[in-house]
Amino acid sequence: MNEKGFDYDKYIEDTHKIGRFFLSIGVISLLMAPFIIAYYTNAHINFKAFTTAVTKVLLIYIPSCVAEYLIYVPLLGIGGVYLSFLTGNLTNLKLPCAFSSREIAKTKTGTKEDEIVMTLAIATSALTTMLVIAIGVMLIVPLTPILQNPVIKPAFDNVLPALFGALGYQYFIKDLKISSIAMISMILICIGIPSLIGDTGTMIIIIGGLSIGVSYLFYRHQYKEK
Amino acid sequence: MNEYLTLANSKAIYLIVAAILLFVSLFCFIFIIRSYKAGIKMGMDASLLKKAITSSATFTAIPSISILLGVLALGGNLGLPISWLRLSVIGNLQYEATVAQIAAQGMNKTLDSSLLTMDDLVTILLVMTVGIIWGCLLTIFTLKKYTKKIHNRKKDIKKSDRPSFANIAMVAMFIGLCAAFLGNYVSNFIVNGVYLPVITALVSALIMALFEYLITNKNIKSLESFALALSMIIAMIATILFSILL
């Protein structure tokens, strides 16, 4: 407890309780949605087709789901993890947003202050996305021709390059050695196996792991010398 | 509009989706209020907390428009409310589009609204949901233990003289994340000649470098919260210009 009577451990304990409650209800609602829609529209779930398709999907996605979980939990903070895993768009939005806020707030990973900043950033990001999409859906008729205008379309097709160009600059200058190794490895792998171009989900895990591994080697080397 | 799309875009489905999304929004609101209050009690500067909120909102606004485009694209076949739900919770566009296709193939169909029925739609939705909930389940059942383990490891490391590797690892992981995306654009240019993503990323990086210079050397601190969003907007405008010129 600090001098103002704030009990951080209790705050974290409550974060787990509230997070688990909302996440559990959220998952149940999402699982129930197809059944409720089927009931209202008098439709029937094709369980044979479901089993065939879901087996394929699980074979592809379970390993990356587990890897994402193990890797991203230490990066996002406890509140941030509960929020990001329910609201999605993790690698392309929540993670960059959280890191950008950490950069602005100048907090250190794993500190109490960082936990607060991560939670604020990810919750705000999730709400903003939901708000933008909700407004977009409400204004779908007037917005469709604007968003799909062939002149403007290339801009929206390149939102991620715009995002990672700016973020890449901010992070690459922090460690040019690791950045060069990561970039060169990524380019060589993709040129060698062109089918991996576009499969950023897999490549993030490979290149992210490689970057951490190389930075660990540098770290060990540096402190062995001392 | 065919009968399938009329049903897939019916009021009842909109209401079901809106109820779920309202619940998720409530979750976000509660966490914002709790963490803000906790930050103040911990003695954090209120302006810093507000900055975290405003910078996240500005940062997210533009990428959210591209997610909205995904909603439109997927909505043509799955109906607007279902694609609205799927792209607002868990998953992402790449996952949803791939899995919807796999599920449709499982029923010997393609993702085409003229071929789909409501039976297909509810089956596809169930496949999309079951395929992606594993991260949530791991969070519900193991997060507490997992974070305790990480915390204990950090304590052990703190006992030694070395500085913590955790911060270095976080930066390295994020460098890896950026390299995976940026390297992908460069290889796509080398292999397939797709140049716009490379140009966009380059312009965005240059603008960001200029903003960093203004923030650090010219002390224009007000730019901090908006530098990323502005870099993205300018880069996207440049993309339009390049796509017209080249």
Side-chain angles (χ1 to χ4, degrees), chain A residues 93 97 124-125 127-133 156 159, chain B residues 54-68 229 232-233 236:
Chain A
L93 195 55
C97 177
T124 308
S125 173
L127 273 178
T128 309
T129 304
M130 280 193 271
L131 189 69
V132 169
I133 299 178
F156 290 117
V159 169
Chain B
T54 49
S55 66
S56 305
T58 51
F59 181 97
T60 311
I62 299 159
S64 298
I65 298 173
S66 77
I67 298 174
L68 175 63
M232 286 176 69
I233 293 172
M236 285 164 72

Side-chain angles (χ1 to χ4, degrees), chain A residues 164-191:
Chain A
F164 282 100
L167 279 175
Y169 170 78
Q170 279 189 314
Y171 276 84
F172 284 179
I173 54 166
K174 283 181 195 284
D175 195 325
L176 288 173
K177 253 195 281 180
I178 304 279
S179 305
S180 313
I181 293 170
M183 269 303 274
I184 292 167
S185 309
M186 175 69 192
I187 294 167
L188 289 178
I189 292 172
C190 284
I191 291 174

Side-chain angles (χ1 to χ4, degrees), chain A residues 10 18 30 94 104 128-129 131 141 160 162 206 221:
Chain A
K10 189 175 180 310
I18 300 167
L30 289 170
K94 301 295 185 315
I104 290 169
T128 309
T129 304
L131 189 69
V141 178
L160 283 181
I206 296 171
H221 180 72

Side-chain angles (χ1 to χ4, degrees), chain B:
Chain B
M1 206 185 279
N2 64 25
E3 194 195 346
Y4 157 72
L5 277 181
T6 311
L7 272 173
N9 288 300
S10 62
K11 242 185 208 166
I13 303 184
Y14 269 110
L15 284 175
I16 294 164
V17 169
I20 296 172
L21 294 182
L22 270 176
F23 177 79
V24 178
S25 309
L26 177 70
F27 178 30
C28 298
F29 267 121
I30 289 174
F31 265 37
I32 287 179
I33 294 165
R34 283 185 78 242
S35 53
Y36 186 86
K37 281 185 179 169
I40 296 290
K41 281 182 189 165
M42 279 162 56
M44 288 176 80
D45 189 352
S47 65
L48 182 86
L49 300 173
K50 283 176 189 158
K51 213 175 184 182
I53 295 173
T54 49
S55 66
S56 305
T58 51
F59 181 97
T60 311
I62 299 159
S64 298
I65 298 173
S66 77
I67 298 174
L68 175 63
L69 281 168
V71 174
L72 289 180
L74 219 55
N77 293 316
L78 299 182
L80 213 49
I82 295 292
S83 54
W84 177 24
L85 174 69
R86 290 305 327 160
L87 288 171
S88 299
V89 288
I90 326 183
N92 55 56
L93 181 60
Q94 199 184 2
Y95 166 83
E96 308 300 348
T98 314
V99 172
Q101 194 64 48
I102 293 173
Q105 279 165 359
M107 291 172 287
N108 297 320
K109 293 196 174 170
T110 53
L111 210 60
D112 181 342
S113 63
S114 63
L115 303 171
L116 295 173
T117 63
M118 279 309 290
D119 289 1
D120 302 330
L121 180 68
V122 287
T123 309
I124 289 171
L125 181 58
L126 190 61
V127 174
M128 286 168 131
T129 312
V130 173
I132 199 76
I133 53 165
W134 305 96
C136 288
L137 294 179
L138 280 171
T139 306
I140 294 168
F141 294 111
T142 68
L143 182 66
K144 205 172 170 185
K145 272 188 188 165
Y146 185 36
T147 46
K148 259 188 191 158
K149 250 189 185 170
I150 297 170
H151 189 67
N152 288 340
R153 261 190 76 83
K154 275 180 187 162
K155 268 186 187 166
D156 291 343
I157 292 164
K158 269 182 191 169
K159 281 175 196 165
S160 74
D161 301 336
R162 290 180 183 185
S164 160
F165 176 65
N167 280 311
I168 300 168
M170 298 303 146
V171 173
M173 178 63 209
F174 205 76
I175 286 174
L177 176 81
C178 293
F181 278 94
L182 295 170
N184 181 55
Y185 306 138
V186 176
S187 352
N188 201 16
F189 169 63
I190 296 169
V191 176
N192 302 316
V194 180
Y195 57 86
L196 271 182
V198 179
I199 292 175
T200 312
L202 215 59
V203 174
S204 183
L206 286 172
I207 303 293
M208 191 68 207
L210 174 70
F211 283 142
E212 289 265 312
Y213 171 80
L214 293 174
I215 293 164
T216 316
N217 296 352
K218 300 286 170 192
N219 214 22
I220 309 177
K221 296 283 177 204
S222 55
L223 261 177
E224 259 182 350
S225 302
F226 307 100
L228 254 166
L230 282 173
S231 304
M232 286 176 69
I233 293 172
I234 295 168
M236 285 164 72
I237 293 169
T239 310
I240 297 175
L241 294 175
F242 278 109
S243 70
I244 294 168
L245 293 172
L246 294 173

Side-chain angles (χ1 to χ4, degrees), chain A residues 92-157:
Chain A
N92 58 340
L93 195 55
K94 301 295 185 315
L95 205 58
C97 177
F99 270 68
S100 164
S101 294
R102 176 179 287 151
E103 198 69 15
I104 290 169
K106 293 179 177 56
T107 51
K108 286 248 160 71
T109 317
T111 58
K112 295 173 182 177
E113 289 77 12
D114 194 54
E115 170 68 32
I116 301 294
V117 170
M118 291 290 101
T119 309
L120 280 176
I122 295 167
T124 308
S125 173
L127 273 178
T128 309
T129 304
M130 280 193 271
L131 189 69
V132 169
I133 299 178
I135 293 169
V137 168
M138 280 188 270
L139 301 174
I140 200 79
V141 178
L143 274 182
T144 305
I146 300 169
L147 292 173
Q148 291 180 342
N149 183 309
V151 177
I152 299 173
K153 205 174 171 294
F156 290 117
D157 289 342

